[in-house]
Each structure stands twice: as structure tokens, then as C-alpha cells.
Amino acid sequence: MIFTRDIGIDLGTENTLICDRKGRIIISEPSVVAVDVKSRRVLATGEKAKAMIGRTPGSIVAVKPLNEGVIADFDMTADMLHDFIYRSSKRSFFTKTRVVISVPSGVTEVERRAVEDAVRAAGAQEVELIEEPMAAALGVGLPVFEARGSMIVDIGGGTCDVAVISLGGIAARKSIKTAGNALDEAIINYMKKTHNLLIGTITAEDIKLKIGSATEYDGEAVMEVRGRNLTDGLPNAIEVTSAEIREVLSAPVSEIISAICETLEVTLPELAADIIDKGIYITGGTSLLRGLPELITKETNIAVHKTDMPLEAVAIGASVKLRRAR
């Protein structure tokens, strides 16, 4: 008997999710690899590797093998995927592993080939790529195969993918490299220039999650931030407010909204009418930023719908693609 294993993968800059054929999330881990510098041996992946970022001795590095949605280190990406795929399986023999994996809509053919090769190097026999906005739309249950326009905005860590979908294809799209990581970088630069404080990506993400927002919100707060003073090199702590961080995030948030508006501007009138009627659907981790749906609605005059599982939508959509292929 020939056994097969079908899995859908959301290969993200910040997180990788693996979904089985039934749409159940079986792996959800940071896209991080810890490697011994001398031997190039992989010491840890996922959560364990992320915990090492900024805390490793000189002989060990914890790195993110993907940058802005594309593979920056092929070997590390393949090793990471191999470990995730191995951990996602039951301990029985499979003769074939079939994978549907997502890629940003703006990637080149070379970058698409790199993803496919990495998945094959990780042990898959059959590989099919699906663009992230299409996967996200499938994951949230939009009628993408009907003659109606559906608009999806998937805002992850490395990229923001905007797409209008109809009859199983993408009618209008825009992909920008401004997303969650750009928000973190804006916070890091602000702390450095304004407060003379050096912080890492983990701290910046913590600030974004705890007091970050796109608009004013109830319960705005003050947060203590710890880092290294750039003048004397000593540890230091300062306080920042929600209003400060909102101002810092305004530039990258404006770029995301501009991408949405530019996509709407090139959308066919009939499809645009469908979007006005049905609204815009947003997915991805950065879609959880406080006030972002409301700000998009204000700028576009179109209702914005938050989805029930924004982090898992792309992986679930990949599993839907698996089921349709059978």
C-alpha cells in the first residue's frame, strides 16, 4: 500500500505554520534557526531557537532564514522545514509527502524556484505553490471561484499582500515589503534617535503588541522599556506612551493603506462594486494591530472585516487547495 501525507505550509518571515489535509494546525513555530557557527550544525528551530536571539555565545547564532517573505539562506530554510515536517508527522512510514506552500504574490520566478527546491530538499516529493492572498482568501472562506470580486489583505511579518480575486484568479494585486517587521524597525529607530536607547527586535515587538496602535484606543498606557544607553553603554530604562508609539507607526501604516488604495484604483468597476458591497477582509499577524481595521475603513470608505483566525488563514487555505486538488 502506498501511503501519502498531505500538508499545507505557510512559510512566513516571522512564523511557519503547517496544516494537515483536514485544516488542523499541527505546527506553529517562529521561523528561526539556531546554528553552531563552526560546524554549521542546526541546534534548534522554532520556539527554542527564537529564545536564543540576542542571548547566544559567539559560537552560536540564532537567525531568521527568510527576509521580507523570501529565502535569504537556502540551507537553513531547508533544515528548518525538514525539522518542522518531521515533527508534524506521525512516527510511521510514508512513501510520499505532498506539500502546498504559500509564497508572497510579488516574488520572482527565481524566488519561487528557491521555495520549491527548499521544500523538496526538506523531503517532499510533490510541491505546489500558492500565492499568499489566494491562500488567505481560501482560508477565510471567501467565494474566490465565483464571478464576484473579493478583496483580501494579508499583512504578515515581511510582506503585505493585497489582492482582488474573482473566478479563481487574481484580478488586481500589490505586494509591498512593509509589514510587521517594518513596524518593529520603526520602533527600534525611534528609540535610538529620540531616547538614545538601543533595543532588540524582541523588545520592539513587545512594545508594538502591548501599546502599539493605528488609532487612539481606550486604556492607553505608559510602558517601561529597557535597553542599552548608546552614550555610556550601560543598561537603562525609559518610559514611552501609546501616543508616542502610534506616531512612530504612522508612516509604515500609511504605506500599507496606500497599497490598499492603489489596488482599489486599478480594480475593474464591477469588481470594485462587489468589494464595496462585501467589504475588505484582513488577515496576518499585523492585522491585529489595534485600530488598523477602523483606519482602513476611514481611508477607503469600505467596511473592513477581521477574520476569526488571522494567523492561521494562509495555512488553512493551503490545506483547502490540497483538498481541491484531489
Side-chain angles (χ1 to χ4, degrees):
M1 180 182 292
I2 297 177
F3 293 94
T4 60
R5 171 179 49 176
D6 292 348
I7 54 176
I9 301 178
D10 173 11
L11 181 62
T13 304
E14 289 299 311
N15 296 285
T16 295
L17 288 84
I18 296 182
C19 197
D20 67 12
R21 193 169 179 272
K22 294 182 180 180
R24 297 173 298 199
I25 302 295
I26 46 182
I27 289 286
S28 179
E29 299 261 357
S31 301
V32 184
V33 181
V35 182
D36 185 288
V37 175
K38 295 179 180 178
S39 66
R40 294 286 293 177
R41 183 170 64 91
V42 174
L43 303 176
T45 61
E47 290 287 359
K48 291 182 179 179
K50 184 176 181 179
M52 298 180 186
I53 292 179
R55 297 183 174 91
T56 59
S59 60
I60 299 172
V61 292
V63 298
K64 297 177 180 179
L66 291 107
N67 182 40
E68 296 180 338
V70 299
I71 292 175
D73 189 307
F74 179 87
D75 292 335
M76 286 191 189
T77 301
D79 287 339
M80 180 184 73
L81 284 171
H82 183 275
D83 185 55
F84 287 165
I85 291 172
Y86 176 77
R87 285 197 272 143
S88 72
S89 68
K90 296 178 181 178
R91 297 296 183 264
S92 58
F93 178 73
F94 292 89
T95 59
K96 181 187 290 186
T97 299
R98 193 167 69 101
V99 171
V100 171
I101 186 167
S102 66
V103 293
S105 62
V107 297
T108 66
E109 192 58 41
V110 172
E111 290 164 344
R112 291 173 69 93
R113 175 63 65 179
V115 172
E116 183 176 342
D117 289 346
V119 179
R120 291 189 184 278
Q125 284 75 44
E126 291 185 21
V127 182
E128 183 177 353
L129 306 184
I130 182 172
E131 295 189 10
E132 284 178 2
M134 178 63 79
L138 286 170
V140 301
L142 295 182
V144 298
F145 298 103
E146 297 181 10
R148 289 190 292 164
S150 297
M151 188 170 199
I152 190 85
V153 181
D154 183 61
I155 319 170
T159 60
C160 169
D161 287 290
V162 186
V164 176
I165 301 171
S166 177
L167 290 172
I170 296 179
R173 78 182 78 200
K174 190 171 183 66
S175 181
I176 60 172
K177 299 183 187 302
T178 301
N181 288 352
L183 271 60
D184 296 342
E185 194 64 34
I187 293 172
I188 290 171
N189 291 335
Y190 172 77
M191 300 301 292
K192 189 185 300 181
K193 293 177 181 178
T194 305
H195 296 288
N196 211 32
L197 192 74
L198 183 65
I199 63 171
T201 56
I202 302 296
T203 301
E205 184 180 22
D206 193 42
I207 295 169
K208 178 181 67 179
L209 293 175
K210 288 182 177 177
I211 63 172
S213 68
T215 59
E216 291 185 27
Y217 66 95
D218 293 334
E220 293 198 357
V222 174
M223 179 179 173
E224 183 182 72
V225 178
R226 298 173 183 177
R228 179 162 59 85
N229 188 289
L230 288 170
T231 302
D232 56 24
L234 297 175
N236 191 23
I238 58 107
E239 289 187 340
V240 293
T241 66
S242 300
E244 273 185 272
I245 300 304
R246 182 166 53 254
E247 181 63 28
V248 171
L249 299 181
S250 62
V253 166
S254 294
E255 289 184 39
I256 291 170
I257 293 175
S258 293
I260 295 171
C261 292
E262 288 170 18
T263 306
L264 287 168
E265 288 170 4
V266 298
T267 299
L268 294 172
E270 290 79 5
L271 297 179
D274 292 335
I275 294 166
I276 292 171
D277 183 47
K278 293 171 56 181
I280 300 169
Y281 291 78
I282 59 172
T283 60
T286 307
S287 72
L288 298 172
L289 181 69
R290 293 180 190 86
L292 183 58
E294 291 78 9
L295 186 59
I296 296 172
T297 295
K298 179 182 176 182
E299 296 297 326
T300 63
N301 291 317
I302 299 173
V304 174
H305 305 291
K306 294 186 287 186
T307 55
D308 293 335
M309 300 178 72
L311 297 172
E312 297 84 1
V314 172
I316 293 172
S319 76
V320 174
K321 179 73 172 178
L322 282 166
R323 295 195 294 273
R324 289 186 62 89
R326 284 297 188 194

